[in-house]
Amino acid sequence: MIFNRSLKEYTGYLALQTWINQAVALCQPSEVWLCDGSEEENRLLLERLVKSGTLTPLKNGCFLARSDPSDVARVEECTFIVTETKEEAGPTNNWMDPEEMGAVLSQLFRGSMQGRTLYVIPFCMGPLSSPFAKIGIQITDSPYVVVNMRIMTRMGKDALSTLQEGAFVPCMHSVGRPLKKGEQDVPWPCNTANRIIAHFPATKAIWSYGSGYGGNALLGKKCLALRIASCLAREEGWLAEHMLIMGVTNPAGVKKYFVAAFPSACGKTNLALLKPALPGWKVEVVGDDIAWIHLGEDGRLYAINPENGFFGVAPGTNWKSNPYAMEAISKNTLFTNCALNDEGEAWWEGKTKEPPAHLISWLGKEWRPGGEEKAAHPNARFTAPLSQCPILDPAFQAPLGVPLSAILFGGRRSDLEPLVYEANDFVGGVLVGASLASETTAAGGGAVGRLRHDPFAMLPFLGYPMGDYFAHWLSFKARTKEELLPKIFAVNWFRKDEKGDYLWPGFGENIRVLQWIFERTEGTAEAKEVPFGHIPAEGTLNTEGLNLKEGALEELFRVDREGWLKKLEETKNYFGLFGKRCPPELYREIERIEAAFVRP
Ligand code: OXD
Ligand code: MN
């Protein structure tokens, strides 16, 4: 065991030692490395990774990894919720029986780390001093995972110091490629034919096999902070959400916090790091992907970011679309599946207006512009510490989180959904979240551009039945005064005209929409009532200095009655999938909107 302090010094030692012993007996590694999270350790691991060909050093302390071409995204079809009955996992999850899964996993993991090092990663999701933080212990045979987890979480000794006996989420991970004596390793070991990412809500355990990529392997993120956390949140009365957290300050210096849920790769990082196009407005970021939301003693909702880094989609990120992200990733960043330019920097589609004349592609091949193949994979990622972000919110480490004034739901929809509207009330807002649908992206591993329901942007990340989740959201209404709950809004930056061009410029100009939302939460912005809520009254959305195409604004807020009635009907059909678990309040809200459409 390589660690300069004995495990016995930690309160949580007994249960942890047992867990490590079991893992060692099962996986049969050739050495065990308990990670302390230090600079020195990180340097050693990076050296190992460069030597093994997994990482290529870049400028400014950055590194590039090229994954196996078959291991490039989360794999939703290989992700399971393991419960006694299928009903407990719910109709939106893949399910397996615990005994059956136990048998599959013990076979896969037996000897899976032969010839490799077993790393033990203690990590904390949430600020170390937060009563809402959760400790995870990830066991992995991937040093690439260790160096990523060090950026994405509070990892090592500090996390271990806060461990109480037995109070950790056990996270077991293997790339599934044992090495025979003398066998040469490959740069990106994986076993994609046998990938399985299994979650056990009853014991809160996570077992992941066969993939080294992103959310499949960095188990603090989607597995712990969303799927397992959603189960904990249901039991303990809070919410674990796929949401960014941002602070918005107006020119008068008043600050409010918003959270926003968007499906994967729909612009959460860009919105969280928005550089306002309007003078006097300021945006600061608390988190770009996950929010843990608790009811405060004052009856308001508060959010913490359980993560400590960005694991963002690189393609499309540039100095215009997201200058603060570009700054954050300018040093000490791990790039995965980006291309490599001749200056020793990572490159991806959209980084520069014109692609460089020569690159090495994410596949490690010579690349020149004009061909069919992309230089970077569409789901290429950067892993960068939040601390490097120039607009990190000062309350980022606040143990109880930041108070919320608004909740936004958004998808990628080329038609129907207006640029922004406010829901009728809290129940109406829960309906907005529950009926969220979006065009699919490269992050989920399946077909791209297909409209699919993605309630609360949580479809791939909920650990229990969707209908119960809707009811859990609604339960907050009875637990506090409605006027203390954040107002709920829907946004859609992706509306297109009949030629297929975007109607709204997006990016920094989205502050105009945030301004209206901000002012609605203060009760100062005027609104026009529509059946599904309120849209900005004419002239209320600040479009000064914006050169919108003629008719664009009208189109962005056009209420397509037939389209909406069809959507409501279709939403009812979709909710039918959840049977009796779907709360009747949501059907009543749909009926209320339908009736308002029918009334002259
Ligand atoms: C992510 C995702 O990586 O949602 O954040 O896929
Ligand atoms: Mn995400």
mmCIF file of all heavy atoms in Angstrom, residues 103-128:
data_model
loop_
_atom_site.group_PDB
_atom_site.id
_atom_site.type_symbol
_atom_site.label_atom_id
_atom_site.label_comp_id
_atom_site.label_asym_id
_atom_site.label_seq_id
_atom_site.Cartn_x
_atom_site.Cartn_y
_atom_site.Cartn_z
ATOM 1 N N ALA A 103 -24.159 -11.796 -9.874
ATOM 2 C CA ALA A 103 -23.445 -12.898 -10.530
ATOM 3 C C ALA A 103 -22.643 -12.376 -11.718
ATOM 4 O O ALA A 103 -21.470 -12.745 -11.909
ATOM 5 C CB ALA A 103 -24.458 -13.950 -10.989
ATOM 6 N N VAL A 104 -23.251 -11.491 -12.500
ATOM 7 C CA VAL A 104 -22.547 -10.937 -13.676
ATOM 8 C C VAL A 104 -21.303 -10.184 -13.219
ATOM 9 O O VAL A 104 -20.197 -10.373 -13.736
ATOM 10 C CB VAL A 104 -23.491 -9.988 -14.468
ATOM 11 C CG1 VAL A 104 -22.724 -9.243 -15.551
ATOM 12 C CG2 VAL A 104 -24.657 -10.762 -15.070
ATOM 13 N N LEU A 105 -21.497 -9.318 -12.188
ATOM 14 C CA LEU A 105 -20.382 -8.465 -11.759
ATOM 15 C C LEU A 105 -19.267 -9.284 -11.124
ATOM 16 O O LEU A 105 -18.087 -9.022 -11.374
ATOM 17 C CB LEU A 105 -20.876 -7.392 -10.786
ATOM 18 C CG LEU A 105 -21.777 -6.305 -11.407
ATOM 19 C CD1 LEU A 105 -22.333 -5.382 -10.325
ATOM 20 C CD2 LEU A 105 -21.023 -5.487 -12.451
ATOM 21 N N SER A 106 -19.636 -10.266 -10.298
ATOM 22 C CA SER A 106 -18.522 -10.978 -9.654
ATOM 23 C C SER A 106 -17.717 -11.750 -10.690
ATOM 24 O O SER A 106 -16.495 -11.862 -10.568
ATOM 25 C CB SER A 106 -18.958 -11.866 -8.483
ATOM 26 O OG SER A 106 -20.174 -12.457 -8.736
ATOM 27 N N GLN A 107 -18.372 -12.196 -11.732
ATOM 28 C CA GLN A 107 -17.612 -12.868 -12.783
ATOM 29 C C GLN A 107 -16.701 -11.872 -13.534
ATOM 30 O O GLN A 107 -15.539 -12.140 -13.775
ATOM 31 C CB GLN A 107 -18.584 -13.536 -13.740
ATOM 32 C CG GLN A 107 -17.938 -14.715 -14.412
ATOM 33 C CD GLN A 107 -18.698 -15.125 -15.659
ATOM 34 O OE1 GLN A 107 -19.781 -14.613 -15.967
ATOM 35 N NE2 GLN A 107 -18.130 -16.056 -16.382
ATOM 36 N N LEU A 108 -17.283 -10.715 -13.852
ATOM 37 C CA LEU A 108 -16.487 -9.730 -14.601
ATOM 38 C C LEU A 108 -15.311 -9.205 -13.777
ATOM 39 O O LEU A 108 -14.204 -9.033 -14.286
ATOM 40 C CB LEU A 108 -17.372 -8.548 -15.027
ATOM 41 C CG LEU A 108 -18.395 -8.799 -16.134
ATOM 42 C CD1 LEU A 108 -19.285 -7.565 -16.327
ATOM 43 C CD2 LEU A 108 -17.702 -9.139 -17.461
ATOM 44 N N PHE A 109 -15.554 -8.917 -12.501
ATOM 45 C CA PHE A 109 -14.513 -8.286 -11.685
ATOM 46 C C PHE A 109 -13.464 -9.277 -11.169
ATOM 47 O O PHE A 109 -12.386 -8.863 -10.757
ATOM 48 C CB PHE A 109 -15.143 -7.519 -10.506
ATOM 49 C CG PHE A 109 -15.582 -6.114 -10.886
ATOM 50 C CD1 PHE A 109 -16.822 -5.883 -11.457
ATOM 51 C CD2 PHE A 109 -14.736 -5.032 -10.698
ATOM 52 C CE1 PHE A 109 -17.220 -4.601 -11.818
ATOM 53 C CE2 PHE A 109 -15.114 -3.745 -11.060
ATOM 54 C CZ PHE A 109 -16.363 -3.521 -11.628
ATOM 55 N N ARG A 110 -13.803 -10.578 -11.177
ATOM 56 C CA ARG A 110 -12.829 -11.545 -10.638
ATOM 57 C C ARG A 110 -11.542 -11.502 -11.466
ATOM 58 O O ARG A 110 -11.548 -11.771 -12.662
ATOM 59 C CB ARG A 110 -13.426 -12.959 -10.633
ATOM 60 C CG ARG A 110 -12.498 -13.959 -9.938
ATOM 61 C CD ARG A 110 -13.212 -15.187 -9.425
ATOM 62 N NE ARG A 110 -14.288 -14.830 -8.490
ATOM 63 C CZ ARG A 110 -15.573 -15.115 -8.684
ATOM 64 N NH1 ARG A 110 -15.961 -15.742 -9.772
ATOM 65 N NH2 ARG A 110 -16.481 -14.757 -7.791
ATOM 66 N N GLY A 111 -10.472 -11.069 -10.833
ATOM 67 C CA GLY A 111 -9.161 -11.012 -11.512
ATOM 68 C C GLY A 111 -9.060 -9.875 -12.522
ATOM 69 O O GLY A 111 -8.099 -9.811 -13.288
ATOM 70 N N SER A 112 -10.017 -8.949 -12.510
ATOM 71 C CA SER A 112 -10.053 -7.931 -13.577
ATOM 72 C C SER A 112 -8.877 -6.953 -13.502
ATOM 73 O O SER A 112 -8.620 -6.239 -14.466
ATOM 74 C CB SER A 112 -11.366 -7.143 -13.514
ATOM 75 O OG SER A 112 -11.390 -6.361 -12.343
ATOM 76 N N MET A 113 -8.207 -6.883 -12.338
ATOM 77 C CA MET A 113 -7.113 -5.900 -12.223
ATOM 78 C C MET A 113 -5.737 -6.579 -12.201
ATOM 79 O O MET A 113 -4.750 -5.951 -11.829
ATOM 80 C CB MET A 113 -7.315 -5.041 -10.972
ATOM 81 C CG MET A 113 -8.593 -4.223 -11.015
ATOM 82 S SD MET A 113 -8.694 -3.058 -9.656
ATOM 83 C CE MET A 113 -10.392 -2.479 -9.857
ATOM 84 N N GLN A 114 -5.696 -7.833 -12.602
ATOM 85 C CA GLN A 114 -4.403 -8.541 -12.602
ATOM 86 C C GLN A 114 -3.386 -7.771 -13.437
ATOM 87 O O GLN A 114 -3.706 -7.316 -14.548
ATOM 88 C CB GLN A 114 -4.572 -9.948 -13.166
ATOM 89 C CG GLN A 114 -5.098 -10.918 -12.123
ATOM 90 C CD GLN A 114 -5.516 -12.248 -12.726
ATOM 91 O OE1 GLN A 114 -5.291 -12.506 -13.900
ATOM 92 N NE2 GLN A 114 -6.137 -13.092 -11.921
ATOM 93 N N GLY A 115 -2.212 -7.614 -12.887
ATOM 94 C CA GLY A 115 -1.156 -6.902 -13.616
ATOM 95 C C GLY A 115 -1.282 -5.395 -13.533
ATOM 96 O O GLY A 115 -0.496 -4.674 -14.141
ATOM 97 N N ARG A 116 -2.293 -4.918 -12.815
ATOM 98 C CA ARG A 116 -2.498 -3.467 -12.734
ATOM 99 C C ARG A 116 -2.473 -2.996 -11.272
ATOM 100 O O ARG A 116 -2.555 -3.809 -10.356
ATOM 101 C CB ARG A 116 -3.864 -3.077 -13.323
ATOM 102 C CG ARG A 116 -3.981 -3.360 -14.779
ATOM 103 C CD ARG A 116 -5.231 -2.727 -15.365
ATOM 104 N NE ARG A 116 -5.340 -3.114 -16.763
ATOM 105 C CZ ARG A 116 -4.698 -2.492 -17.760
ATOM 106 N NH1 ARG A 116 -3.936 -1.451 -17.510
ATOM 107 N NH2 ARG A 116 -4.819 -2.921 -19.001
ATOM 108 N N THR A 117 -2.451 -1.659 -11.108
ATOM 109 C CA THR A 117 -2.534 -1.069 -9.769
ATOM 110 C C THR A 117 -4.000 -0.809 -9.439
ATOM 111 O O THR A 117 -4.750 -0.330 -10.293
ATOM 112 C CB THR A 117 -1.768 0.273 -9.748
ATOM 113 O OG1 THR A 117 -0.429 0.018 -10.143
ATOM 114 C CG2 THR A 117 -1.793 0.921 -8.373
ATOM 115 N N LEU A 118 -4.374 -1.135 -8.217
ATOM 116 C CA LEU A 118 -5.715 -0.772 -7.741
ATOM 117 C C LEU A 118 -5.560 0.542 -6.976
ATOM 118 O O LEU A 118 -4.837 0.609 -5.984
ATOM 119 C CB LEU A 118 -6.264 -1.882 -6.843
ATOM 120 C CG LEU A 118 -7.649 -1.705 -6.205
ATOM 121 C CD1 LEU A 118 -8.270 -3.071 -5.911
ATOM 122 C CD2 LEU A 118 -7.638 -0.865 -4.937
ATOM 123 N N TYR A 119 -6.188 1.585 -7.488
ATOM 124 C CA TYR A 119 -6.140 2.889 -6.822
ATOM 125 C C TYR A 119 -7.382 3.037 -5.949
ATOM 126 O O TYR A 119 -8.493 2.690 -6.380
ATOM 127 C CB TYR A 119 -6.124 4.023 -7.845
ATOM 128 C CG TYR A 119 -4.926 3.981 -8.771
ATOM 129 C CD1 TYR A 119 -4.984 3.295 -9.992
ATOM 130 C CD2 TYR A 119 -3.732 4.610 -8.423
ATOM 131 C CE1 TYR A 119 -3.893 3.249 -10.840
ATOM 132 C CE2 TYR A 119 -2.629 4.572 -9.282
ATOM 133 C CZ TYR A 119 -2.721 3.888 -10.476
ATOM 134 O OH TYR A 119 -1.633 3.841 -11.314
ATOM 135 N N VAL A 120 -7.199 3.575 -4.740
ATOM 136 C CA VAL A 120 -8.337 3.883 -3.861
ATOM 137 C C VAL A 120 -8.442 5.397 -3.821
ATOM 138 O O VAL A 120 -7.508 6.083 -3.398
ATOM 139 C CB VAL A 120 -8.105 3.340 -2.435
ATOM 140 C CG1 VAL A 120 -9.324 3.618 -1.560
ATOM 141 C CG2 VAL A 120 -7.803 1.845 -2.470
ATOM 142 N N ILE A 121 -9.582 5.905 -4.296
ATOM 143 C CA ILE A 121 -9.743 7.362 -4.368
ATOM 144 C C ILE A 121 -10.809 7.810 -3.360
ATOM 145 O O ILE A 121 -12.010 7.653 -3.609
ATOM 146 C CB ILE A 121 -10.223 7.811 -5.777
ATOM 147 C CG1 ILE A 121 -9.404 7.152 -6.881
ATOM 148 C CG2 ILE A 121 -10.234 9.317 -5.887
ATOM 149 C CD1 ILE A 121 -9.952 7.422 -8.285
ATOM 150 N N PRO A 122 -10.396 8.405 -2.228
ATOM 151 C CA PRO A 122 -11.409 8.997 -1.355
ATOM 152 C C PRO A 122 -11.799 10.355 -1.943
ATOM 153 O O PRO A 122 -10.935 11.140 -2.298
ATOM 154 C CB PRO A 122 -10.668 9.191 -0.026
ATOM 155 C CG PRO A 122 -9.269 8.683 -0.245
ATOM 156 C CD PRO A 122 -9.041 8.569 -1.709
ATOM 157 N N PHE A 123 -13.081 10.616 -2.073
ATOM 158 C CA PHE A 123 -13.476 11.917 -2.634
ATOM 159 C C PHE A 123 -14.727 12.433 -1.942
ATOM 160 O O PHE A 123 -15.514 11.671 -1.386
ATOM 161 C CB PHE A 123 -13.681 11.824 -4.153
ATOM 162 C CG PHE A 123 -14.815 10.926 -4.594
ATOM 163 C CD1 PHE A 123 -16.074 11.445 -4.877
ATOM 164 C CD2 PHE A 123 -14.618 9.556 -4.742
ATOM 165 C CE1 PHE A 123 -17.113 10.629 -5.297
ATOM 166 C CE2 PHE A 123 -15.655 8.726 -5.153
ATOM 167 C CZ PHE A 123 -16.911 9.252 -5.431
ATOM 168 N N CYS A 124 -14.844 13.765 -1.983
ATOM 169 C CA CYS A 124 -15.987 14.400 -1.329
ATOM 170 C C CYS A 124 -16.787 15.144 -2.393
ATOM 171 O O CYS A 124 -16.218 15.928 -3.160
ATOM 172 C CB CYS A 124 -15.479 15.371 -0.270
ATOM 173 S SG CYS A 124 -16.814 16.252 0.570
ATOM 174 N N MET A 125 -18.082 14.902 -2.458
ATOM 175 C CA MET A 125 -18.945 15.661 -3.356
ATOM 176 C C MET A 125 -19.592 16.761 -2.508
ATOM 177 O O MET A 125 -20.325 16.482 -1.558
ATOM 178 C CB MET A 125 -20.022 14.769 -3.989
ATOM 179 C CG MET A 125 -19.480 13.608 -4.817
ATOM 180 S SD MET A 125 -18.238 14.037 -6.058
ATOM 181 C CE MET A 125 -19.218 14.878 -7.292
ATOM 182 N N GLY A 126 -19.298 17.999 -2.863
ATOM 183 C CA GLY A 126 -19.772 19.147 -2.085
ATOM 184 C C GLY A 126 -18.641 19.736 -1.280
ATOM 185 O O GLY A 126 -17.613 19.062 -1.063
ATOM 186 N N PRO A 127 -18.791 20.998 -0.831
ATOM 187 C CA PRO A 127 -17.740 21.615 -0.016
ATOM 188 C C PRO A 127 -17.444 20.753 1.207
ATOM 189 O O PRO A 127 -18.370 20.215 1.827
ATOM 190 C CB PRO A 127 -18.363 22.962 0.387
ATOM 191 C CG PRO A 127 -19.411 23.244 -0.653
ATOM 192 C CD PRO A 127 -19.934 21.907 -1.082
ATOM 193 N N LEU A 128 -16.157 20.643 1.572
ATOM 194 C CA LEU A 128 -15.759 19.735 2.663
ATOM 195 C C LEU A 128 -16.511 20.045 3.958
ATOM 196 O O LEU A 128 -16.812 19.143 4.740
ATOM 197 C CB LEU A 128 -14.251 19.846 2.900
ATOM 198 C CG LEU A 128 -13.380 19.205 1.817
ATOM 199 C CD1 LEU A 128 -11.948 19.713 1.913
ATOM 200 C CD2 LEU A 128 -13.425 17.679 1.899
#
